[in-house]
Amino acid sequence: MESFWIVLLGLLAAGYFALAGFDYGTALLFRFVGRDERERGRALGAMTPFVLGDEVWLVAAVGVLFGAFPRLEGELLSGHHGAFVTIVTGLVAFTAAVQLRGAAPVWDVPLVGGALAVAVGWGVLAADVTGAPAPLWIVGVVGLFSLHGGTFLAWRLPGRAGVRARALARSLVLPCLLFVPAAVLLAGPVARPEVGVGVAVAVVVLLLGAWVTSGRVAFCCTAIACALPVPAVFAAQDVVTAETMAGTGTLAVLVPAAVVVLPLVLLFQWATWWMVRVRHA
C-alpha cells in the first residue's frame, strides 16, 4: 500500500515537470524565438492548448499529497513558505497571462515573470529539501525548463523561428550539463546515493541526446530529463517515506479515487495532444 502511493505521487510529479516544463520554457524563450509579433504569437499559440492539461498533473499530485501524505504536506508548507508563495504567485500570473496575452503584448511581463517565478520557486524548494546549494537547483531548473521549451518550439514551429528555437535550445545544453547533475549529486546526505548517481548519469545521456537529435526525439529527451530529478529529490534524506503517510484505513479509502483519477489524467492529456494534432493535420 505504501509503495503504491509513493510511486503514484512520484509519477504525477514527474509528469507535471515533464509536460508543464515546456510551457514555462516556451514563455521564457518566445520573445527571443519570435522577431516580430506574428512569430511570437505563433510561438505562444503552439504552447497555449497544452497549458491546462499539463497543469492537471500538478493538481492531481497536490491532491495525493494532501490526502495520502498529510505529515509531509504539513512539513513542506510549514518549512518552505517562501518557495510555495513564489510558485503559487508565478502560477497565477502565468496562467492569467496565457489567457489574456492575445489582448495586448503588455501581458508578456506577467507571462515571462510568472514562468520564471515558478521555475525559481521549484529550484528553491528542491534546494531546501535536498540540502544542495540553491544556485545549482535554481539555474538547473530554469535551464531545464528553457531547454525543454526550446526543443518544443524547434519541433512545432516552421521556418526561421524553428531554426532559432533549435539554436537557443542547443546553447542551453551545456549549462544544464554543468548545473543539473551537480545539483543532483550534491543533494545533501542522500539516503540512497545510487539513485542520485543514476539520475545524474541519465540526465547527462538525455541532454546529449537532445543535442544530437531533433524534433519529437529531442523533445522526449528533454521531457524525461525534466522528470528525472523527481526521484532524486524523493530519495534525498528519505523525503517521502511511510512515516509521512496517512493511516492504512485512510489510504484504503483513497485507493478507488486514485484508480479513477490517474486514468482520467492520462485520458485528458492524450485528448489534448490528439486535438492539437488534428487541428494541425
Side-chain angles (χ1 to χ4, degrees):
M1 181 72 72
E2 288 83 4
S3 298
F4 168 79
W5 286 104
I6 292 173
V7 170
L8 179 60
L9 180 61
L11 285 175
L12 292 172
Y16 163 70
F17 285 107
L19 294 166
F22 77 79
D23 297 335
Y24 308 133
T26 297
L28 292 172
L29 294 184
F30 82 100
R31 290 191 63 85
F32 300 100
V33 171
R35 295 294 173 83
D36 54 34
E37 186 58 26
R38 178 174 174 272
E39 287 187 342
R40 290 168 183 166
R42 180 175 285 182
L44 288 178
M47 170 268 287
T48 301
F50 301 102
V51 171
L52 293 180
D54 296 340
E55 299 293 346
V56 167
W57 291 83
L58 178 60
V59 174
V62 170
V64 170
L65 179 66
F66 274 68
F69 297 87
R71 298 180 184 87
L72 176 60
E73 170 259 322
E75 292 173 4
L76 289 174
L77 290 180
S78 63
H80 309 286
H81 284 109
F84 279 108
V85 168
T86 302
I87 293 168
V88 172
T89 302
L91 284 171
V92 171
F94 173 79
T95 305
V98 166
Q99 304 301 320
L100 297 171
R101 198 271 174 187
V106 69
W107 287 98
D108 287 359
V109 175
L111 181 66
V112 177
L116 182 61
V118 172
V120 170
W122 285 121
V124 171
L125 182 61
D128 289 348
V129 170
T130 63
L136 286 179
W137 274 112
I138 292 172
V139 176
V141 174
V142 172
L144 267 181
F145 285 176
S146 299
L147 172 59
H148 196 20
T151 58
F152 171 75
L153 291 175
W155 171 33
R156 304 292 291 192
L157 293 181
R160 294 181 180 179
V163 173
R164 287 193 291 270
R166 178 60 180 159
L168 278 171
R170 287 175 64 89
S171 71
L172 291 166
V173 170
L174 180 57
C176 289
L177 281 171
L178 293 175
F179 285 92
V180 179
V184 170
L185 290 173
L186 295 177
V190 178
R192 299 179 180 86
E194 68 277 5
V195 176
V197 173
V199 168
V201 172
V203 167
V204 169
V205 172
L206 289 164
L207 291 176
L208 292 176
W211 172 274
V212 300
T213 60
S214 60
R216 70 179 63 195
V217 175
F219 176 77
C220 289
C221 287
T222 55
I224 300 172
C226 285
L228 276 179
V230 171
V233 172
F234 275 31
Q237 304 181 34
D238 272 336
V239 173
V240 182
T241 64
E243 287 73 25
T244 63
M245 301 178 71
T248 304
T250 301
L251 295 178
V253 171
L254 292 174
V255 166
V259 171
V260 172
V261 167
L262 183 58
L264 286 177
V265 171
L266 294 173
L267 178 62
F268 189 75
Q269 195 70 57
W270 171 83
T272 301
W273 283 89
W274 183 82
M275 286 188 291
V276 172
R277 179 188 64 82
V278 171
R279 187 183 306 168
H280 289 82

